[in-house]
Amino acid sequence: MEFIQFTEALNIVKDHPFIPLVEKRELKDCVGLILNEDLKADRPFPPFDRVTMDGIAIAFSEFEKGQRHFKIEKTIPAGTPQYTVKNVAECVQIMTGAMMPIGMDTVIRYEDLTIVDDTATVNIETIKPQQNVHFKGMDRQLGDTLLKKGTKLGAPEMNIAAAIGKAELSVLVPPKAVIITTGDELVSIETTPAAHQIRRSGNYGIQALLNQYGVETSMHHMNDNKALMKEDLAALIETYQCIVLTGGVSKGKFDYLPEILDELGVQKHFHKVNQRPGKPFWFGTATNGSTIFALPGNPVSSFMCASVYIQAWINASLKITPKTIKVKLNKEVSFPRPLTYFLECATAFDENGTLLVSPFIGHGSGDFANLAVADGFVILPAEKSVFKAGEVYDFVPFRNLF
């Protein structure tokens, strides 16, 4: 098959989504997953007239009449039942989070008071009625939808779910994935490599990327033995719904994977994309529905392909529409070859709040140390060869920019 263009490859990947499982999970295990139910308020938000400052509660009508000295009738901490005042011409000391007592409507903070013995004196004149009170139902009413089905669950969503007593949530769960490294030269990270060996590392970056989406991952390694690779891969395809291979997919004498996948009856959707890095990228689906991503072995290539394509596959499958991020080049870049160029960049904001990228040229797709100082890949289209400072392009982040 001829090389295909980046946009075509991306669309093919999106057109072969997985069907997510629906599971009930404990709230703590839902971060990064997609909500499969609407969450509604089980009571008004806030559920009562809630004091928002430590100080005293008064009836504003008494202050409006000119009263500035208030005898303290009672002290009320948070977490106690609502109190009814006996004399609206007096005050109560009250703490943040407490229920506003019946008969009072305004809170004056301690910083604006002098308290001597059992009397509070108001030292300022700029008191507003109902200040420092978060009134019942101001935020949401009983039955209001707080989170819609399809929401990606992050830290704010955890707060909301817990506030309405949802100890478990119905969520969409991505398929389990196995990340497979290949090659005799690779050894485990616990091993001291010999001069001709390197540690397996790229699989850990891909694992971290997938884990951000709630994908459960396992690791596996295959040496360059075709018969054993075929046996291993056949078993793994039967076990996992997502197979991510790194290495063994190019034109080398020991790059057996394309041939093995064909022999196993895996349908190839494409092999080789008109891009740098990651040209040898292979994508297909097995007869049982498992999806196979066979990525180049060089760590920058495999990480780029995972960041762009596997991330897009997960988003499409879960019906997530990611925000398009546009960035401005802060220096000129030349790339004379007619390939879509994914260039590692560091980011910064200028004085106007525009997101700028500083691209840097490494030492090829094996130069994974550059990833530590980059924030993502700027996508430079194949139709151009010179990309000028100030021009705007799409950007794929692989770390939180903010």
Side-chain angles (χ1 to χ4, degrees), residues 247-250 255-263 266 268 271 280 282 294:
V249 76
S250 191
D255 289 338
Y256 300 124
L257 283 179
E259 187 178 343
I260 291 172
L261 290 166
D262 182 62
E263 291 174 2
V266 177
K268 178 179 69 177
H271 183 196
W282 190 105

Side-chain angles (χ1 to χ4, degrees), residues 179-186 198-206 221-222 224 244-252 254-255 257-258 271 275 277-282 293-306 364-368 371:
I179 303 166
I180 306 168
T181 49
T182 65
D184 292 345
E185 75 279 15
L186 300 178
I198 57 174
R199 293 186 180 93
R200 298 193 283 271
S201 59
N203 49 331
Y204 289 94
I206 295 171
H221 180 72
M222 300 189 302
D224 292 326
V244 182
L245 293 139
T246 64
V249 76
S250 191
K251 292 184 177 181
F254 300 101
D255 289 338
L257 283 179
H271 183 196
Q275 64 186 18
K279 280 198 297 183
F281 175 32
W282 190 105
F293 295 88
L295 313 181
N298 283 321
V300 176
S301 298
S302 60
F303 187 73
M304 184 284 290
C305 288
S365 54
D367 186 6
F368 60 88
L371 295 175

Side-chain angles (χ1 to χ4, degrees), residues 135-169:
F135 287 95
K136 179 179 178 178
M138 281 182 70
D139 301 338
R140 298 291 188 275
Q141 295 294 321
L142 171 68
D144 283 354
T145 299
L146 304 177
L147 295 176
K148 291 183 179 180
K149 181 178 179 179
T151 299
K152 187 172 182 179
L153 296 165
E157 291 75 23
M158 295 294 102
N159 285 350
I160 292 168
I164 61 172
K166 296 289 289 187
E168 291 185 331
L169 295 176

Side-chain angles (χ1 to χ4, degrees), residues 271-321:
H271 183 196
K272 300 178 183 176
V273 183
N274 203 46
Q275 64 186 18
R276 175 176 285 186
K279 280 198 297 183
F281 175 32
W282 190 105
F283 175 72
T285 49
T287 54
N288 69 346
S290 293
T291 303
I292 291 89
F293 295 88
L295 313 181
N298 283 321
V300 176
S301 298
S302 60
F303 187 73
M304 184 284 290
C305 288
S307 298
V308 174
Y309 293 98
I310 301 181
Q311 197 163 226
W313 177 70
I314 295 172
N315 284 333
S317 301
L318 297 175
K319 296 180 170 55
I320 299 170
T321 303

Side-chain angles (χ1 to χ4, degrees), residues 53-73:
M53 288 281 185
D54 296 331
I56 63 169
I58 65 167
F60 183 76
S61 59
E62 299 302 309
F63 180 86
E64 199 171 31
K65 293 175 188 176
Q67 184 177 341
R68 298 296 181 267
H69 305 284
F70 294 85
K71 182 177 174 57
I72 297 171
E73 180 178 306

